[in-house]
């Protein structure tokens, strides 16, 4: 059982970032090319728990924070065996890349996740639809369900005070433009990219990061 004193002293921003990191772990594990009957149940249960308990955990509720610890463990067990995808690839390579300050890992994942789902939709819409249904969403097609999942993640980011774009986070435009090509190449070379459901080239990664910077829809 989580110590209530520890639960009450964990900062809200850290709660938000680690919670969305756990959600990203679980979602990327579920759509990974290395998913399996062993990892899928862990990932889905973690996703359901994060959606259920993260808002209350963010507000400091001890029992919800305890449940989030369990969700994070389940998500960790899932991705330890199924690996991750390009959300983490980008987060790994952008965390310390800019002079305006560190982009916290969980915050980066939360920002990048909706855009990565748009990119991966062509290859993994059925898997994202599974996740959407598990989260209680309804829709007449896999693509509609995938969009509803994206919308739900965006709504959670708003609740948790997480920026929608790298520009909103505070990254300076000229510095972003000067570094995005190199960051894209490094992200493609990240180990997590290997298990992403849709292959990605450095040029596509650069386009994706540019969408994330400006908040434009990923349509390629």
């Amino acid at each position: 059982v989580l110590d209530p004193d520890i639960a009450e002293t964990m900062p809200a921003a850290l709660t938000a970032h680690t919670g969305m990191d756990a959600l990203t772990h679980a979602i990327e594990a579920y759509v990974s090319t290395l998913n399996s009957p062993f990892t899928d149940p862990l990932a889905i249960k973690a996703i359901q728990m994060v959606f259920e308990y993260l808002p209350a955990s963010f507000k400091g509720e001890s029992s919800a924070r305890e449940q989030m610890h369990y969700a994070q463990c389940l998500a960790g067990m899932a991705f330890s065996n199924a690996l991750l995808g390009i959300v983490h690839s980008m987060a790994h390579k952008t965390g310390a890349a800019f002079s305006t300050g560190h982009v916290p890992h969980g915050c980066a994942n939360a920002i990048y996740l909706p855009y990565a789902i748009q990119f991966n939709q062509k290859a993994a819409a059925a898997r994202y639809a599974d996740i959407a249904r598990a989260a209680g969403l309804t829709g007449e097609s896999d693509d509609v369900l995938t969009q509803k999942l994206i919308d739900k993640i965006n709504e959670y980011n708003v609740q948790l005070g997480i920026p929608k774009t790298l520009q909103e986070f505070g990254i300076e435009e000229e510095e972003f433009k000067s570094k995005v090509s190199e960051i894209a190449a490094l992200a493609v070379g990240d180990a997590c990219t290997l298990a992403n459901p849709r292959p990605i080239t450095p040029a596509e990664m650069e386009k994706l990061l540019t969408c994330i910077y400006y908040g434009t829809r990923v349509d390629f």
Side-chain angles (χ1 to χ4, degrees):
V1 177
L2 181 63
D3 186 330
D5 292 333
I6 295 174
E8 290 172 5
T9 57
M10 186 170 175
L14 182 59
T15 303
H17 296 168
T18 55
M20 292 304 292
D21 188 29
L23 181 66
T24 306
H25 288 158
I27 289 177
E28 290 208 295
Y30 192 79
V31 302
S32 163
T33 57
L34 297 175
N35 72 76
S36 74
F38 296 97
T39 60
D40 284 352
L42 297 168
I44 287 292
K45 183 61 177 178
I47 291 163
Q48 291 172 328
M49 292 177 74
V50 172
F51 279 135
E52 181 174 356
Y53 293 109
L54 182 52
S57 177
F58 178 67
K59 295 176 182 177
E61 184 180 302
S62 295
S63 60
R65 290 189 168 191
E66 179 177 352
Q67 294 300 315
M68 281 300 302
H69 275 258
Y70 303 149
Q72 289 165 329
C73 183
L74 292 170
M77 293 165 68
F79 90 77
S80 292
N81 291 280
L83 302 186
L84 294 164
I86 57 172
V87 179
H88 273 79
S89 300
M90 292 186 288
H92 291 157
K93 306 311 178 188
T94 53
F98 301 106
S99 63
T100 45
H102 187 76
V103 185
H105 178 73
C107 181
N109 282 334
I111 295 170
Y112 304 162
L113 181 58
Y115 300 95
I117 293 174
Q118 289 177 359
F119 176 81
N120 287 331
Q121 187 169 349
K122 293 178 181 178
R127 302 289 288 182
Y128 289 125
D130 287 345
I131 293 170
R133 293 187 194 96
L137 303 173
T138 58
E140 63 272 20
S141 70
D142 290 347
D143 285 336
V144 169
L145 282 162
T146 300
Q147 184 57 52
K148 288 190 174 183
L149 175 63
I150 292 168
D151 293 342
K152 187 176 182 71
I153 294 166
N154 283 327
E155 289 168 7
Y156 268 60
N157 282 345
V158 171
Q159 289 183 48
L160 300 170
I162 292 170
K164 185 175 177 60
T165 68
L166 281 175
Q167 188 173 46
E168 184 183 339
F169 180 84
I171 305 302
E172 294 177 353
E173 186 174 26
E174 289 308 310
E175 184 178 14
F176 173 80
K177 288 180 177 180
S178 70
K179 292 182 175 179
V180 64
S181 179
E182 181 181 2
I183 291 170
L186 291 171
V188 170
D190 189 273
C192 292
T193 302
L194 296 173
N196 195 67
R198 181 184 171 189
I200 188 167
T201 65
E204 289 171 331
M205 183 68 81
E206 184 172 345
K207 289 175 66 176
L208 177 57
L209 285 162
T210 300
C211 289
I212 293 167
Y213 184 83
Y214 293 105
T216 54
R217 182 165 182 83
V218 180
D219 58 2
F220 58 91

